[in-house]
Amino acid sequence: MTYTSDFLRTLEARGFIHQITDAAALDAAASAGVVTAYVGYDCTAPSLHIGNLVSIMMLRHLQQTGHRPIVLMGGGTTKVGDPSGKDEGRQLLDDARIEANKASIRRIFERFLAFDGPNAAIMTDNDEWLSGLAYIPFLRDIGRHFSVNRMLSFDSVKLRLDREQPLSFLEFNYMILQAYDFLELNRRHGCTLQMGGSDQWGNIVNGTDLIRRVDGKDAHGLTTPLITRADGAKMGKTAAGAVWLHEDSLPGFDYWQFWRNTHDADVARFLKLFTDLPLAEIDAVMAGDINAAKAVLATEATALCRGRTAAEAAAATAAATFAGGAGADLPSLAVAAPVTILDALVGLGFAASKGEARRLVAGGGARIDDVAVAADSAMVGPGARVSAGKKRHGVIVAG
């Protein structure tokens, strides 16, 4: 359909929309006035990662088009664990670790959203209402609106059951708690839209249904497509692990370099999803040299998450480190198929033996595409840069 609201027109043009519960009704609401929308983030680590960045950018576009975002910190739901997209249960965290993670994550959002002025973003924590729930009243008032038959049909549950992986009763309750979050936010803040990744569709629809059944109100859901790279890999996963948004978890240069190493086929799409550049400017960037476009992506994406100063410093470091273009005057190792980081370090002459290479990895001195390698079993293939320390760099080429 052709959207009339700036909000949905922006999301559609930039590639954010996968499913909407009632697109026409949401578009009409966003055209008529201010829509309050939320995304929830559990506090399972001190930092969010690039997999969370799509939803953060949606909240940013929501606010930029005149609406009000809510960041829901999952202090309560983190105690349960979301089974969506998981093959096994999460390790449960104690209250102190959850609070520490929550405090660390809060700082990330201050770079993407405005918490004062018109349409100021709201940050709240579902522990405020979940931890105080009385079990029997909750079952009578909320639980009776959920069909176990339907809950068993959701992908988050079917995945675990089909693979014969255990699904605890604790985790099974997660979708009910998420639906209750939506109801509470609707009552407290007039929130009428929940957004999230495509794996959250069932949970989001549960929330819209609960609001309708309990309070007789309309609410909406919107999900984004699963973001994968051109090679089919899940966005944000590398040989060294997750790409963290927090500088305490991943240095600014490493974050910049992750974007610089984007596959050619992904550059235009990622410029639309992960930067604020206008679409016309993106078209102009893509009309030029692809490596220059990758540098623009890296700098603009890093500027949003880490600040403009950090982004420009990373770009300058990269220019100095790899002066003369990718692989120019750098040692190379030709391989027919991916090899382990140990073989790569020895083959490039950065280590005299696998034992020395293993010590280099253990000490944090080995890097693939400027991301520290966490395990000596990490694989590296043609097109990758391998570094040992800050001054020794090489490239893996097809051979």
Side-chain angles (χ1 to χ4, degrees):
M1 63 175 289
T2 301
Y3 296 114
T4 59
S5 64
D6 289 343
F7 171 54
L8 290 183
R9 280 206 308 262
T10 297
L11 291 195
E12 182 182 44
R14 301 187 80 97
F16 284 94
I17 298 176
H18 178 56
Q19 289 175 294
I20 303 178
T21 50
D22 186 337
L26 177 57
D27 189 41
S31 297
V34 175
V35 169
T36 300
Y38 92 95
V39 179
Y41 301 90
D42 281 345
C43 311
T44 55
S47 173
L48 300 178
H49 52 76
I50 279 184
N52 303 115
L53 193 53
V54 173
S55 64
I56 296 174
M57 290 299 294
M58 277 204 300
L59 289 173
R60 182 176 174 85
H61 289 303
L62 177 86
Q63 188 171 51
Q64 288 175 338
T65 53
H67 304 284
R68 183 170 62 159
I70 297 177
V71 178
L72 179 64
M73 305 298 290
T77 42
T78 303
K79 299 174 184 178
V80 176
D82 183 2
S84 301
K86 306 292 189 302
D87 283 342
E88 57 186 26
R90 282 180 180 157
Q91 178 181 359
L92 296 180
L93 306 179
D94 60 31
D95 288 355
R97 173 50 57 192
I98 292 173
E99 285 301 312
N101 289 345
K102 184 169 64 178
S104 180
I105 290 170
R106 285 179 189 271
R107 291 182 286 157
I108 294 170
F109 289 96
E110 294 173 358
R111 296 189 178 147
F112 290 91
L113 302 172
F115 287 88
D116 54 15
N119 304 318
I122 297 169
M123 183 174 286
T124 189
D125 185 349
N126 62 18
D127 196 50
E128 293 178 19
W129 52 83
L130 293 182
S131 289
L133 288 173
Y135 188 59
I136 297 301
F138 181 73
L139 288 180
R140 286 174 58 90
D141 297 340
I142 303 300
R144 65 189 178 91
H145 295 291
F146 290 83
S147 162
V148 171
N149 307 65
R150 188 177 181 214
M151 292 167 71
L152 289 171
S153 71
F154 290 138
D155 287 343
S156 59
V157 174
K158 286 179 61 179
L159 174 69
R160 294 277 281 279
L161 298 181
D162 290 347
R163 296 185 182 182
E164 299 184 353
Q165 296 285 350
L167 176 71
S168 71
F169 182 69
L170 179 68
E171 294 172 283
F172 190 60
N173 278 270
Y174 188 94
M175 65 181 75
I176 300 179
L177 297 181
Q178 184 170 328
Y180 185 71
D181 284 344
F182 200 174
L183 177 64
E184 279 290 328
L185 291 173
N186 182 266
R187 290 171 170 176
R188 292 173 181 234
H189 301 290
C191 179
T192 57
L193 172 62
Q194 183 183 355
M195 302 187 294
S198 58
D199 63 337
Q200 293 296 314
W201 179 249
N203 292 340
I204 291 173
V205 170
N206 272 338
T208 62
D209 287 350
L210 183 64
I211 291 170
R212 176 178 50 81
R213 291 172 181 271
V214 174
D215 286 349
K217 297 179 180 179
D218 291 329
H220 310 285
L222 186 158
T223 62
T224 60
L226 176 66
I227 307 299
T228 56
R229 303 191 317 234
D231 61 5
K234 191 173 180 180
M235 178 64 184
K237 294 295 185 181
T238 70
V243 180
W244 300 105
L245 300 184
H246 217 311
E247 57 267 29
D248 294 349
S249 302
L250 184 70
F253 178 74
D254 296 349
Y255 189 78
W256 187 96
Q257 194 64 32
F258 168 81
W259 294 108
R260 172 59 182 81
N261 290 325
T262 295
H263 191 285
D264 291 5
D266 289 328
V267 177
R269 184 164 58 108
F270 287 0
L271 280 166
K272 293 176 183 178
L273 288 170
F274 301 115
T275 80
D276 274 343
L277 290 181
L279 297 180
E281 191 170 338
I282 291 173
D283 289 341
V285 167
M286 292 304 301
D289 176 70
I290 190 63
N291 287 318
K294 291 180 182 181
V296 170
L297 169 63
T299 300
E300 294 302 315
T302 304
L304 277 177
C305 189
R306 306 298 182 83
R308 180 66 58 180
T309 300
E312 292 179 352
T317 299
T321 302
F322 300 111
D329 302 322
L330 295 177
S332 63
L333 174 66
V335 299
V339 297
T340 68
I341 184 62
L342 302 182
D343 289 328
L345 290 168
V346 172
L348 288 166
F350 297 159
S353 65
K354 285 192 176 181
E356 182 180 335
R358 193 171 284 110
R359 289 190 293 274
L360 187 63
V361 171
R367 308 171 89 79
I368 298 173
D369 290 332
D370 298 290
V371 177
V373 178
D376 52 28
S377 59
M379 303 299 289
V380 57
R385 294 188 181 97
V386 174
S387 301
K390 295 183 178 180
K391 297 183 177 180
R392 291 183 294 169
H393 310 282
V395 293
I396 308 300
V397 299

